[in-house]
Amino acid sequence: MSEQTNDFTQWYLQTVQQAELMSYSPVRGSIIFRPDGFELWEHIQEEFNKFLRSEGIRNAYFPMLIPQHFFMKEADHIEGFAPELPWVTEVGNEKLEEPLALRPTSETMIGAAFSDWINSYRDLPYEINQWANVFRWEKKTLPFLRTSEFLWQEGHTAHADETDARQRTMRVLDEYARLCEEFLAIPVYKGQKTPSERFAGAVDTYSIEAMMKDGKAVQAGTSHYMGTKFAEAFDITYLNKENKHTLVHTTSWGVSTRLLGSLIMTHGDEQGLVLPPTVAATQVVLMPVGPWKKNPAILEKLEEIFAELKARNIRVRLDDSDNSPGYKFNEWELKGACVRVECGPRDLENGHAMVKVRDLAEKEKVDFEGLVAYIEEQLAEMTPRLLASAKARNKENEHFDINTLDELKAHIETCKAENKPTGFVLIGWDGTEETESKIKEETGFTTRNIPFEVPMEKATDLVSGKPAKHTLWIARAY
Amino acid sequence: MSEQTNDFTQWYLQTVQQAELMSYSPVRGSIIFRPDGFELWEHIQEEFNKFLRSEGIRNAYFPMLIPQHFFMKEADHIEGFAPELPWVTEVGNEKLEEPLALRPTSETMIGAAFSDWINSYRDLPYEINQWANVFRWEKKTLPFLRTSEFLWQEGHTAHADETDARQRTMRVLDEYARLCEEFLAIPVYKGQKTPSERFAGAVDTYSIEAMMKDGKAVQAGTSHYMGTKFAEAFDITYLNKENKHTLVHTTSWGVSTRLLGSLIMTHGDEQGLVLPPTVAATQVVLMPVGPWKKNPAILEKLEEIFAELKARNIRVRLDDSDNSPGYKFNEWELKGACVRVECGPRDLENGHAMVKVRDLAEKEKVDFEGLVAYIEEQLAEMTPRLLASAKARNKENEHFDINTLDELKAHIETCKAENKPTGFVLIGWDGTEETESKIKEETGFTTRNIPFEVPMEKATDLVSGKPAKHTLWIARAY
């Protein structure tokens, strides 16, 4: 396997395939989510569905194909998505009268439905979510992080006024941050996107940005306030208390299977996947070691532990294959099993097992008596520990003292020479697109977001040297 | 609302819309699954996922777009699906080199993956499921029952030999029957499809058929044994214990959102939906009646009951809107709430509530003390009672004494005159397609399946009068 520090992308590509998270498919840029990969997504779905239920936001399902004239209704929207849209033009051998787009997102389809369903202020807020496959024909693709077809949830809500709509936008962004940090152990940077990075058709776009181990950014989730733009395009109005037709304010927001890529690139190491127990398909793997076949009591003991763990809803596997212990260690480390329990003849004799937690350096000797409790404790501690460790690493890769384009270039050169991540750089910005394009052109860095909590105010624009209107994060990004 | 007995299809179309299960979409034959409709599907997913987990069959996700040359590999398969396939021919403004089909099913895509993943007998059985949207451009469409895009699960498995593969085929069919009967209260007829009704590319297709209230059939689920046909087409082989390359035997099986249509057409009545509590979005609705606004203790009491039911994971709603009791009764009956609890001033005074179970004729007076227990009991009893009642109705619409085409025509005439369902007719069949086409042409009846347990043997073919090789069910079908 490629070493992480030498070629992070190669390491990533090898790891996701060897750990059997995905396979390439015959369709350019579309991947197969193998069971161990798809299960990560299923756990994320389960967790986010809890939030939706607690907020009274219900799941629905809308058609995947969107008629061409629908897309045309919101000008910014079609302009933003047109180059990436796959079109169905024929069925059987017959040409369709109107081409149908494979949805890249469903504002238009859901906007039209809202127009039918929403009549009175009593119907508001109207809040819907859908789990779906979407299509964006990207030029450069990367498993999970950028694929032609991907899976996501898209929430769409309509509100009586701006305050209520903006509240929903922020509440969801907060939940995305919580989901990433507490559930996936991925630290995120919350903030607002610059106008040039807004969702096509949004008034304001907010994002959570995550820093990968190589210092590059992943936009891990976005939440948009649309104002009345889609309400105007799709005639979504309600009768207010004074019986007057009024435009609704809409929001939309989504996280996708990009999260899987972020998860792997945040925690993985030279041995392979490191997964928080919240989502790991295998939380515990039990394996007999030494000449265990001659001593059936070893397997019996492990089967007993297996049953106990199973009864506590722990995702446990027993590896009693013929492979050597070394092979098994490697395989389960590669696959990101959180806890490995080994038991050989001498262990059994002494009433203990050897326990190795994936992200800790040393094996521990643990008495059978306290084994299950020990495992539960380790599983509970692992997610917050992974988060803390990722946060500490991020801190090292945040840069606050780069004030000019030349300093940024020098920073990049130094990082290259020392084989270090370029990380997130906090800069001053005069608010112009010129600054953004110049930075992108000359360094490949892009604006990530204007953080809600600015670690320090920057006085001048990185490029123009003019007074800064905002302080924001820039980074290279996936 | 149309009366069920006068125009069942009209009743159905009005009910699914008025109960807010679905809306039409701007794409021909594609519907929107509204939250109350989609939730039915979510409960079915949850239930079937339990089965998958217990069998060790894991979920995965495969690309939706299938390259044209993939489809060509299995001749029967492409022949069967070609006329219904939507094709993506362009992306952005560029023509694709090879058209991509929107999957109608995924045997080809998954076959190719199996060819990569399966190497040795140790890998078998290899068993995968996917929940996905699929596309079949049908000429005539009907919400849930026949739509251009629908949702389903498709299981795909590969086995070392025929015996193992056939066992999987049957085991799933049994689970489908259990799911329909025990979970959805839909009685089904298990059996084998005739060759002309086989899945395109299958060696044998088995089905569960359900009888709707109007006597028409719905094919509610199918399970296929593919032999080695797809293994040959996609080169899926394994090294057996003697180190010889051997073709696997494959199966596939699916149930879809057709089940939602079956559910509604099996249980619904003049008032609207009747849903088993297993899937109902609203299991219990609480409502204050009489001059309740003057007496805040009524709402307080209902809120207390609400909290108690909620704590027991019962899906409960409290309707304290300003609508009249009559309006509320109608609305919640239309939507298929299983249990309605009313409480007015006199009820409160006397320490009881009035309880109406959706499929029982009379309201019951129930003391507050025993109310929660009573509701739980009613919810537990309702599903088996709905099943028993559907079974009893089916019995009335099974016909065993029709032995010639003329008798079948006379039966149809009588049913028409008396406004009765034509139901399922058990006939003798000589095994020829001629008989099947003749029956279809002249009566619109189609062969449903050859039941595993034949209620009685029929001696002669309905059309030819020749000795029957099989006894099978025929019916008009959705």
Side-chain angles (χ1 to χ4, degrees):
Chain A
M1 192 138 73
S2 286
E3 277 182 44
Q4 272 198 324
T5 43
N6 286 340
D7 191 335
F8 193 73
T9 306
Q10 271 310 308
W11 167 85
Y12 175 74
L13 290 175
Q14 289 176 5
T15 301
V16 293
Q17 288 176 83
Q18 289 176 8
E20 299 186 351
L21 298 185
M22 56 74 63
S23 285
Y24 287 107
S25 89
V27 181
R28 202 191 62 83
S30 286
I31 60 168
I32 299 167
F33 291 78
R34 299 189 67 171
D36 277 349
F38 191 72
E39 185 169 334
L40 299 171
W41 186 237
E42 286 183 302
H43 292 302
I44 291 170
Q45 288 187 298
E46 213 177 308
E47 182 71 9
F48 193 68
N49 270 333
K50 281 185 210 161
F51 167 76
L52 295 173
R53 268 195 301 271
S54 75
E55 296 278 305
I57 300 169
R58 297 185 69 196
N59 287 325
Y61 186 77
F62 293 81
M64 193 200 67
L65 295 171
I66 301 181
Q68 193 171 34
H69 76 276
F70 254 58
F71 246 99
M72 300 306 173
K73 291 196 180 182
E74 214 294 316
D76 293 338
H77 194 64
I78 180 71
E79 198 192 315
F81 283 108
E84 304 176 349
L85 289 184
W87 293 98
V88 172
T89 59
E90 291 172 26
V91 172
N93 283 322
E94 278 175 44
K95 229 176 158 57
L96 290 176
E97 279 179 33
E98 183 184 16
L100 303 169
L102 273 57
R103 65 178 158 224
T105 180
S106 303
E107 276 74 10
T108 55
M109 184 59 81
I110 295 181
F114 275 9
S115 170
D116 279 350
W117 298 341
I118 295 169
N119 297 304
S120 139
Y121 69 92
R122 287 192 201 84
D123 299 328
L124 298 176
Y126 204 101
E127 306 192 298
I128 289 276
N129 179 68
Q130 107 169 333
W131 296 95
N133 53 343
V134 281
F135 295 81
R136 298 180 189 175
W137 226 253
E138 307 272 3
K139 295 265 182 292
K140 274 184 72 178
T141 63
L142 193 62
F144 300 123
L145 286 169
R146 203 169 283 277
T147 51
S148 306
E149 178 182 9
F150 58 94
L151 303 178
W152 80 347
Q153 63 66 220
E154 47 179 323
H156 296 269
T157 68
H159 304 262
D161 57 36
E162 176 169 350
T163 312
D164 201 50
R166 285 194 177 275
Q167 224 159 45
R168 168 52 68 212
T169 309
M170 286 307 163
R171 214 174 149 81
V172 169
L173 195 74
D174 286 344
E175 169 60 17
Y176 285 162
R178 191 206 65 81
L179 180 77
C180 280
E181 302 202 327
E182 291 179 21
F183 194 69
L184 302 175
I186 302 171
V188 294
Y189 299 76
K190 277 197 282 188
Q192 180 166 12
K193 284 290 193 186
T194 61
S196 70
E197 298 276 337
R198 262 182 216 143
F199 178 82
V203 169
D204 283 314
T205 288
Y206 305 91
S207 75
I208 49 170
E209 306 281 333
M211 195 198 296
M212 303 299 97
K213 251 186 169 171
D214 65 347
K216 286 173 78 173
V218 168
Q219 178 178 293
T222 48
S223 188
H224 317 290
Y225 167 62
M226 305 295 194
T228 57
K229 289 169 84 171
F230 282 89
E232 281 160 40
F234 289 91
D235 191 26
I236 319 175
T237 63
Y238 68 101
L239 280 176
N240 69 11
K241 287 185 187 170
E242 290 74 40
N243 229 26
K244 262 185 60 184
H245 285 284
T246 314
L247 289 167
V248 300
H249 293 246
T250 64
T251 83
S252 77
W253 25 275
V255 291
S256 74
T257 38
R258 300 200 92 190
L259 287 178
L260 274 53
S262 314
L263 195 60
I264 298 151
M265 285 193 174
T266 299
H267 304 301
D269 66 15
E270 301 294 355
Q271 280 66 54
L273 301 180
V274 176
L275 296 171
T278 47
V279 291
T282 303
Q283 295 173 320
V284 180
V285 61
L286 311 174
M287 54 180 77
V289 294
W292 58 276
K293 289 208 167 170
K294 291 182 195 148
N295 189 346
I298 295 175
L299 206 54
E300 277 164 30
K301 186 69 196 170
L302 288 177
E303 277 163 359
E304 188 190 312
I305 298 165
F306 179 90
E308 269 187 83
L309 293 172
K310 196 99 191 161
R312 282 158 199 258
N313 281 321
I314 291 171
R315 296 190 288 274
V316 56
R317 294 190 193 198
L318 173 57
D319 184 351
D320 58 355
S321 66
D322 290 335
N323 298 323
S324 72
Y327 181 96
K328 290 185 191 180
F329 291 178
N330 286 341
E331 187 183 5
W332 290 107
E333 281 180 354
L334 172 63
K335 291 192 164 186
C338 307
V339 174
R340 181 177 82 220
V341 177
E342 307 159 21
C343 184
R346 206 172 307 165
D347 300 315
L348 185 70
E349 212 171 287
N350 295 324
H352 64 234
M354 297 305 294
V355 179
K356 171 75 177 69
V357 179
R358 181 65 176 82
D359 66 320
L360 295 179
E362 303 299 330
K363 283 191 199 181
E364 290 290 328
K365 201 178 282 180
V366 183
D367 285 350
F368 289 131
E369 209 178 308
L371 185 60
V372 170
Y374 180 81
I375 289 171
E376 286 194 317
E377 196 184 300
Q378 290 303 318
L379 292 177
E381 284 172 7
M382 186 171 171
T383 308
R385 186 173 59 236
L386 288 178
L387 176 64
S389 131
K391 273 192 176 164
R393 190 182 57 233
N394 284 8
K395 278 268 166 285
E396 286 171 28
N397 294 319
E398 292 169 3
H399 303 280
F400 301 99
D401 49 4
I402 294 170
N403 296 309
T404 66
L405 199 52
D406 282 340
E407 286 174 22
L408 179 59
K409 287 179 189 168
H411 166 69
I412 294 169
E413 285 309 309
T414 313
C415 291
K416 202 175 168 183
E418 297 176 6
N419 196 18
K420 276 188 182 167
T422 49
F424 279 31
V425 175
L426 194 76
I427 65 159
W429 179 50
D430 62 9
T432 65
E433 257 192 77
E434 287 71 46
T435 288
E436 291 182 275
S437 358
K438 187 94 178 165
I439 296 174
K440 192 171 176 183
E441 249 166 55
E442 305 214 350
T443 67
F445 274 57
T446 50
T447 54
R448 303 322 308 155
N449 65 26
I450 304 167
F452 294 150
E453 291 168 36
V454 182
M456 69 181 287
E457 292 288 346
K458 305 290 284 190
T460 57
D461 185 278
L462 186 85
V463 174
S464 68
K466 290 185 188 156
K469 288 190 180 154
H470 299 282
T471 297
L472 50 70
W473 288 114
I474 60 172
R476 285 182 175 151
Y478 284 102
Chain B
M1 193 137 75
S2 286
E3 278 182 43
Q4 272 196 326
T5 43
N6 287 339
D7 190 337
F8 192 74
T9 306
Q10 270 311 308
W11 167 86
Y12 175 75
L13 290 174
Q14 290 176 4
T15 301
V16 293
Q17 288 178 83
Q18 290 176 6
E20 299 185 351
L21 298 185
M22 57 73 63
S23 285
Y24 287 106
S25 90
V27 182
R28 203 191 62 81
S30 286
I31 61 167
I32 298 168
F33 291 77
R34 300 189 67 173
D36 277 350
F38 192 71
E39 185 170 335
L40 299 171
W41 185 237
E42 286 183 301
H43 292 302
I44 291 170
Q45 288 187 298
E46 213 176 308
E47 182 71 10
F48 193 68
N49 270 333
K50 283 186 209 161
F51 166 77
L52 294 173
R53 269 195 299 273
S54 74
E55 297 278 305
I57 301 169
R58 298 186 69 196
N59 288 326
Y61 185 77
F62 293 82
M64 195 202 65
L65 295 170
I66 301 180
Q68 192 170 37
H69 77 276
F70 255 58
F71 247 100
M72 300 306 175
K73 291 195 180 182
E74 213 295 315
D76 293 338
H77 195 63
I78 180 71
E79 198 192 316
F81 283 108
E84 305 175 349
L85 289 184
W87 292 98
V88 172
T89 59
E90 290 172 26
V91 173
N93 283 321
E94 278 176 45
K95 230 177 155 60
L96 291 175
E97 278 178 33
E98 182 184 15
L100 303 169
L102 274 56
R103 67 179 156 221
T105 179
S106 303
E107 275 75 11
T108 56
M109 184 60 80
I110 296 180
F114 275 9
S115 170
D116 278 351
W117 299 341
I118 295 169
N119 297 304
S120 138
Y121 68 92
R122 286 190 201 86
D123 299 326
L124 299 177
Y126 203 101
E127 306 191 297
I128 290 275
N129 179 67
Q130 108 170 330
W131 295 95
N133 54 343
V134 281
F135 294 81
R136 297 180 188 175
W137 225 254
E138 305 273 4
K139 294 263 182 294
K140 274 184 74 178
T141 63
L142 192 61
F144 300 122
L145 286 168
R146 202 168 284 277
T147 51
S148 305
E149 178 182 10
F150 58 94
L151 305 176
W152 80 346
Q153 61 68 220
E154 47 178 324
H156 296 269
T157 67
H159 305 262
D161 57 36
E162 176 169 350
T163 312
D164 201 49
R166 285 193 177 276
Q167 224 158 43
R168 169 51 68 210
T169 310
M170 284 307 161
R171 214 172 149 85
V172 169
L173 195 74
D174 286 345
E175 169 60 16
Y176 285 161
R178 191 205 66 79
L179 180 77
C180 281
E181 301 202 330
E182 289 178 24
F183 194 68
L184 303 174
I186 302 171
V188 294
Y189 300 76
K190 278 197 281 188
Q192 179 167 14
K193 285 288 194 187
T194 61
S196 69
E197 299 276 336
R198 260 181 217 144
F199 178 82
V203 169
D204 283 312
T205 288
Y206 304 90
S207 76
I208 49 169
E209 307 279 334
M211 194 198 298
M212 302 298 98
K213 251 188 169 168
D214 65 347
K216 285 171 81 172
V218 168
Q219 178 177 295
T222 48
S223 189
H224 317 289
Y225 168 63
M226 305 295 196
T228 57
K229 289 170 83 171
F230 282 88
E232 282 161 38
F234 288 90
D235 191 26
I236 320 174
T237 62
Y238 68 100
L239 282 176
N240 67 12
K241 288 185 185 169
E242 288 76 40
N243 229 25
K244 260 184 62 184
H245 284 285
T246 314
L247 289 167
V248 301
H249 293 246
T250 64
T251 82
S252 77
W253 25 273
V255 291
S256 75
T257 38
R258 302 201 89 190
L259 285 179
L260 275 53
S262 313
L263 195 59
I264 298 151
M265 285 193 174
T266 299
H267 303 302
D269 66 15
E270 301 294 354
Q271 280 66 54
L273 301 180
V274 176
L275 297 170
T278 45
V279 292
T282 305
Q283 293 174 320
V284 180
V285 61
L286 310 175
M287 54 180 76
V289 293
W292 58 276
K293 290 208 167 167
K294 293 181 195 151
N295 190 345
I298 294 175
L299 206 53
E300 277 164 30
K301 186 69 199 171
L302 289 177
E303 276 162 358
E304 188 190 312
I305 298 165
F306 179 89
E308 269 188 82
L309 293 172
K310 196 97 188 161
R312 283 159 200 257
N313 281 321
I314 290 170
R315 297 190 287 274
V316 57
R317 294 194 193 194
L318 174 57
D319 185 351
D320 58 356
S321 66
D322 289 336
N323 299 323
S324 71
Y327 181 97
K328 290 184 191 180
F329 291 178
N330 286 341
E331 188 183 4
W332 290 108
E333 280 180 354
L334 171 62
K335 290 192 163 185
C338 305
V339 175
R340 180 176 83 221
V341 177
E342 307 159 21
C343 183
R346 205 171 307 165
D347 299 317
L348 185 69
E349 212 171 286
N350 295 323
H352 65 234
M354 298 303 296
V355 180
K356 171 74 176 71
V357 178
R358 182 64 178 84
D359 67 319
L360 295 179
E362 304 298 331
K363 284 189 198 179
E364 290 289 328
K365 201 177 283 180
V366 184
D367 285 350
F368 288 132
E369 208 180 308
L371 184 60
V372 170
Y374 180 81
I375 289 170
E376 285 194 317
E377 194 184 300
Q378 291 302 320
L379 291 177
E381 285 173 6
M382 188 171 167
T383 308
R385 186 173 58 235
L386 287 177
L387 176 64
S389 131
K391 272 192 177 164
R393 191 181 58 235
N394 282 7
K395 278 269 166 287
E396 285 170 28
N397 293 318
E398 293 168 1
H399 302 280
F400 301 99
D401 50 3
I402 294 169
N403 296 310
T404 66
L405 197 52
D406 283 339
E407 285 174 19
L408 178 58
K409 289 179 189 169
H411 166 67
I412 294 168
E413 284 309 310
T414 312
C415 290
K416 201 173 169 185
E418 297 176 7
N419 196 18
K420 277 186 182 167
T422 49
F424 278 31
V425 175
L426 195 76
I427 66 159
W429 179 49
D430 62 9
T432 65
E433 262 192 61
E434 286 72 46
T435 287
E436 290 183 276
S437 359
K438 185 95 177 167
I439 294 173
K440 191 170 178 183
E441 248 166 59
E442 305 213 351
T443 66
F445 274 56
T446 50
T447 53
R448 304 323 307 160
N449 65 26
I450 304 166
F452 294 150
E453 289 169 34
V454 181
M456 68 182 285
E457 292 289 348
K458 305 289 285 190
T460 59
D461 184 277
L462 185 84
V463 174
S464 70
K466 290 184 188 159
K469 285 188 181 156
H470 299 283
T471 297
L472 51 71
W473 288 115
I474 60 172
R476 284 179 176 153
Y478 284 101

